[in-house]
Amino acid sequence: MDVLRPGDPARIGGHRLLGRLGAGGMGVVYLGRTEAGALAAIKVILPEYAGDEDFRTRFRREAEAARRVDSRWAVPVTGADTDSETPWLATEFVPGPTLSEVVARCGPLPTRSVHVLGRLLSRALTAVHGAGLVHRDVKPGNVLLTADGPRLIDFGIARAAEATALTATGLVVGTPGFLPPEQATGAGAGAGPEGDVFSLGCLLAYAATGRPPFGSGAVDALLYRTVHDEPDLAGVDDPALRALLGECLAKDPAARPAAADLDTRIAEDMPGDGASADWLPEDVARMIAERSAAMLALPDIEATVNTSATTPAPARRRFLALAAGGAVALGAGTFAAVRLIGDEPDGRSGASPAGRRWVIGVHADLTGAQKAAGRAQERGVRLAVDRFNSRTDKPFTLAVKVLDDGGDPARSVRVAEEFARDRDVLAVIGPTGDAVTGAALPAYDEAVLPLLTVSSLQISYPARVNAAFFQASPSYAALSMPIVNRLLLRPDVERLGVLIDRSGGQAAYQAGYATNLMTPSLTTGTTHPRVVPAGTTDLGPVIADLLGHRSDALFYAGDAAGGARAARALAATPFKGPSMAQHTVMRPEFLERAGETAEGWEFIAPFTDAGGVSGEPGVPGAADFAAAHRKRFGAAPAAWSAEAYDVIGLVAQEVAALVGSATKGGAGPTGSPTATPSGSTPSGGTPSAGTTSADGRPGRAALVAAIAASRYEGISRTYAFDEERQQLVGQDAHLYRAEGGRYRYLGPAPKPKS
């Protein structure tokens, strides 16, 4: 739960508001308490949507739909006013975590837990369907877990089974990955109760395996798999559960069982009396208990009336988030690393002459699968801050605050929310990977907090209202261009074999797809693509197929282990043409597993060699950076370190320019015409566009605009962003080759002559 903000109301419909449970593009959900002491989750629609009659009609329909459902396993409506100037809807507050949170933190559930989950949710859906409704958004995020069973929530897009949906023709309604084929094709108005059963099957498969049965990633590919592919139920070992899921996930709605039938077919004991949570694993039960314990402190909270723009006492505000000790409200162990230091290791430059000290955030994976990249980026940021703070004329001092998401999307959201709340944070570098970046974007966007990633390369992310996100590295699509140029702009290559290994996830799919797509656009050559399922161990037949179709060159998109298998399989053939792998393969594991067969493989990478990746001198102009890195950290810079260093240089440049501009505009930051008086900053505690705070700090929106228009010469590339999507302009990339058991830097990747 987040604290209330200066612009938030103190009361709604007889509820005193205690804090924010969440926020989206359409409204805010608050935790409230009635005069009788009952807790409620209160959804309040934003003013700009309250005046939209179509939107108000949909919201009114949501309230009416939720009121019609009578089930212990569906969260009941406790109050609503859909006709007021500020429409709101209150439901019983359930302190338990969502199923998506539980699986992300604790892993897949055991078979008995999945059976109980399925049986009780089928009862909730039976009540929904018995009321003449279709939920249409059954997914892990809409299921709360409690000691005595699950609760189905959010009837935001529910509708009467016979009603016409209030959506545009062809609009996909629901959540990709958990919606039925009939909704995936855009025929949402025709999806009936059978669609909810399909979604329940997806949800139960996710609970049992830890992943959606039709994968994840790009929406169009996900919808295609939902309609055409069989579900991936690997890991569901219980025969009865596997058979039941297969029926729920039938493509033909008529072949699926009804929700009421599922209740009778799942032979599993219900949770024991007394809310013992005996139906769940111990770690999940503990997580639920912690959430419930946090709520025990709420009746003692009195400083919740928010009648002014001033910020309530920090100790009382923090108590909301840290109730019952140890960040319980966010879940124990929320962050594995939280550090805030001044970054003056030698004791120099403790503060600027003006006494202003602001923060650069590092949102990184420091303990998960991408911890090497996350650590390298943290070090690059620290060196850039060192460099800035060493200036004798600096107008302010920078500090570094580091939060670790462990590569977990759920934790990534909490990290983003923590940075967004900290008014001293100017900008954030990160996150490290694609999935965690997508999860964190809404929080950064709502706070208008500049977010710059150097290693999240997804081709596209959902558009955001405030456009505070910058992709400061070439995407997989942009990297496909130098890949095609390197492999096909030569006289001996006419056809490129493209091997997409699903073991590499979305990174492999997007890189391979883009390379296949760009080949005929950039060259006169052709491609022969092959996709292999995740976990394929024998790539020999696939390699033989690629060569049998006259492939003169080979591009592998996947992970390091799969790349090694491809290298060994290719070495067993007479093939002598060029072979290249995606940069995600470029890890020590590839060299170790491939052995001599790795020799000669090339890689197009988005990161430069600043004197450490290949063990050679590195790119021109990086000598000082490499020397400083060795002095401070006792090691050569790793991949992604120079890019993070560059991006902080860009941010510092723009902040300094904004501060200088504000100072020249008047008698100084606090006396300039653009200064915002103390206590009058907009909601969220950060200055708005075109303003500075009382200490001269630029507003976050103003910094977003400055970064969007910036141009910066860094070690690795020139940084500039396109206006439409704020992605990096240009195709700059770097070329490496495996030689003698190491990766040798060959220089900038080739570009076409015209």
Side-chain angles (χ1 to χ4, degrees):
M1 182 172 63
D2 200 354
V3 297
L4 291 174
R5 299 182 178 181
D8 287 334
R11 292 179 177 274
I12 287 287
H15 300 83
R16 170 186 274 188
L17 302 188
L18 305 177
R20 281 179 166 226
L21 294 173
M26 303 297 183
V28 180
V29 181
Y30 297 100
L31 176 64
R33 187 176 57 203
T34 66
E35 294 298 330
L39 295 176
I42 307 163
K43 180 186 292 187
V44 180
I45 300 305
L46 295 175
E48 54 264 40
Y49 293 101
D52 183 333
E53 280 307 313
D54 284 344
F55 186 89
R56 188 182 283 269
T57 298
R58 288 194 292 270
F59 187 61
R60 186 180 299 114
R61 187 180 63 188
E62 173 185 356
E64 294 170 352
R67 285 184 183 277
R68 290 161 62 180
V69 178
D70 182 15
S71 171
R72 177 184 175 186
W73 313 114
V75 175
V77 171
T78 59
D81 188 346
T82 58
D83 295 319
S84 69
E85 183 177 350
T86 305
W88 59 273
L89 170 69
T91 63
E92 178 184 298
F93 175 69
V94 178
T98 64
L99 175 61
S100 55
E101 288 180 273
V102 166
V103 172
R105 179 171 160 184
C106 304
L109 298 179
T111 299
R112 185 197 171 217
S113 299
V114 178
H115 276 137
V116 172
L117 188 67
R119 188 169 190 183
L120 298 185
L121 288 179
S122 72
R123 292 183 178 182
L125 287 178
T126 298
V128 170
H129 300 160
L133 300 171
V134 184
H135 189 284
R136 298 201 302 164
D137 202 17
V138 178
K139 62 181 180 180
N142 279 342
V143 173
L144 299 173
L145 299 186
T146 72
D148 66 348
R151 299 292 190 278
L152 181 65
I153 64 172
D154 198 350
F155 291 81
I157 59 174
R159 63 170 178 80
E162 73 282 358
T164 300
L166 293 176
T167 56
T169 302
L171 178 65
V172 175
V173 178
T175 302
F178 296 93
L179 46 73
E182 55 268 32
Q183 277 179 252
T185 56
E194 304 86 356
D196 284 345
V197 172
F198 187 96
S199 298
L200 178 62
C202 293
L203 180 148
L204 296 178
Y206 171 83
T209 65
R211 64 183 185 278
F214 297 100
S216 58
V219 172
D220 53 350
L222 186 52
L223 297 179
Y224 180 88
R225 293 195 295 271
T226 300
V227 175
H228 299 286
D229 292 357
E230 291 302 311
D232 177 9
L233 299 179
V236 181
D237 298 326
D238 181 72
L241 178 59
R242 191 181 184 96
L244 189 68
L245 293 180
E247 292 184 44
C248 291
L249 297 174
K251 304 296 185 188
D252 180 4
R256 301 169 200 154
D261 294 335
L262 293 176
D263 182 18
T264 59
R265 291 184 53 183
I266 301 175
E268 188 59 64
D269 293 335
M270 295 298 96
D273 294 333
S276 64
D278 61 350
W279 68 287
L280 291 167
E282 183 178 346
D283 54 348
V284 177
R286 187 183 307 113
M287 186 176 179
I288 293 173
E290 289 170 349
R291 295 291 178 92
S292 299
M295 294 302 105
L296 295 178
L298 286 173
D300 188 49
I301 297 174
E302 298 185 5
T304 58
V305 178
N306 190 14
T307 58
S308 71
T310 58
T311 303
R316 184 66 72 179
R317 298 283 256 180
R318 287 187 66 226
F319 189 68
L320 281 167
L322 304 179
V328 169
L330 292 176
T334 298
F335 308 128
V338 180
R339 297 189 297 281
L340 177 58
I341 66 174
D343 288 283
E344 291 85 38
D346 301 323
R348 65 184 184 278
S349 304
S352 68
R356 295 176 292 197
R357 182 174 178 272
W358 303 325
V359 178
I360 295 294
V362 179
H363 181 160
D365 178 358
L366 301 178
T367 54
Q370 292 184 284
K371 60 184 178 183
R375 183 69 66 192
Q377 291 174 34
E378 178 194 351
R379 290 180 169 183
V381 169
R382 293 192 183 282
L383 286 179
V385 167
D386 282 352
R387 177 189 177 191
F388 182 85
N389 288 342
S390 67
R391 291 172 46 182
T392 57
D393 63 339
K394 60 184 179 296
F396 50 85
T397 299
L398 291 176
V400 179
K401 178 176 181 177
V402 183
L403 297 180
D404 173 26
D405 64 22
D408 178 356
R411 283 174 59 180
S412 180
V413 173
R414 298 195 289 271
V415 166
E417 291 171 345
E418 166 68 14
F419 277 130
R421 284 192 296 266
D422 190 340
R423 66 186 305 273
D424 287 330
V425 176
L426 295 172
V428 176
I429 308 307
T432 312
D434 298 322
V436 288
T437 296
L441 283 183
Y444 286 115
D445 186 72
E446 183 186 358
V448 202
L449 177 56
L451 177 68
L452 301 94
T453 180
V454 299
S455 56
S456 300
L457 312 183
Q458 191 164 296
I459 292 175
S460 65
Y461 290 92
R464 296 294 170 187
V465 174
N466 294 309
F469 174 56
F470 297 88
Q471 214 169 350
S473 190
S475 68
Y476 298 117
L479 287 173
S480 71
M481 299 179 190
I483 289 170
V484 172
N485 292 336
R486 178 68 175 178
L487 291 176
L488 283 149
L489 294 185
R490 55 177 80 192
D492 57 337
V493 175
E494 290 292 334
R495 174 168 293 190
L496 175 62
V498 180
L499 173 52
I500 303 173
D501 189 340
R502 284 290 193 180
S503 295
Q506 275 301 302
Y509 174 79
Q510 292 190 17
Y513 176 81
T515 300
N516 183 61
L517 184 67
M518 295 306 297
T519 295
S521 300
L522 298 175
T523 73
T524 58
T526 59
T527 62
H528 179 65
R530 282 293 306 270
V531 180
V532 297
T536 302
T537 56
D538 183 9
L539 295 181
V542 183
I543 295 293
D545 177 77
L546 293 173
L547 300 183
H549 284 81
R550 298 178 289 105
S551 297
D552 307 305
L554 175 68
F555 173 66
Y556 170 84
D559 59 8
R565 288 192 290 269
R568 292 197 302 269
L570 190 63
T573 73
F575 180 78
K576 300 299 180 184
S579 51
M580 178 176 285
Q582 187 180 10
H583 73 275
T584 53
V585 175
M586 210 178 120
R587 301 167 67 93
E589 183 183 2
F590 172 74
L591 297 176
E592 294 167 3
R593 295 193 178 191
E596 294 181 355
T597 66
E599 195 75 9
W601 275 71
E602 293 186 347
F603 309 85
I604 296 293
F607 49 79
T608 190
D609 184 11
V613 179
S614 68
E616 297 182 352
V619 296
D624 290 344
F625 166 77
H629 194 285
R630 288 186 176 90
K631 179 180 179 181
R632 176 151 190 197
F633 302 112
W640 303 114
S641 186
E643 286 72 20
Y645 177 86
D646 283 347
V647 168
I648 294 303
L650 182 157
V651 171
Q653 167 186 282
E654 297 308 316
V655 174
L658 288 170
V659 170
S661 176
T663 302
K664 292 176 182 177
T670 58
S672 76
T674 58
T676 299
S678 178
S680 64
T681 56
S683 175
T686 57
S688 63
T691 67
T692 60
S693 65
D695 62 356
R697 179 177 63 255
R700 287 177 173 176
L703 182 54
V704 167
I707 293 172
S710 66
R711 182 178 178 85
Y712 183 78
E713 297 292 337
I715 294 173
S716 56
R717 59 174 53 87
T718 298
Y719 290 84
F721 302 96
D722 69 68
E723 294 181 3
E724 182 179 353
R725 303 178 70 181
Q726 299 187 173
Q727 289 182 320
L728 189 71
V729 174
Q731 303 171 17
D732 293 326
H734 301 273
L735 182 62
Y736 295 81
R737 180 185 295 139
E739 290 184 1
R742 64 184 180 88
Y743 296 111
R744 178 189 171 199
Y745 180 61
L746 301 182
K751 296 180 180 180
K753 296 180 180 179
S754 60

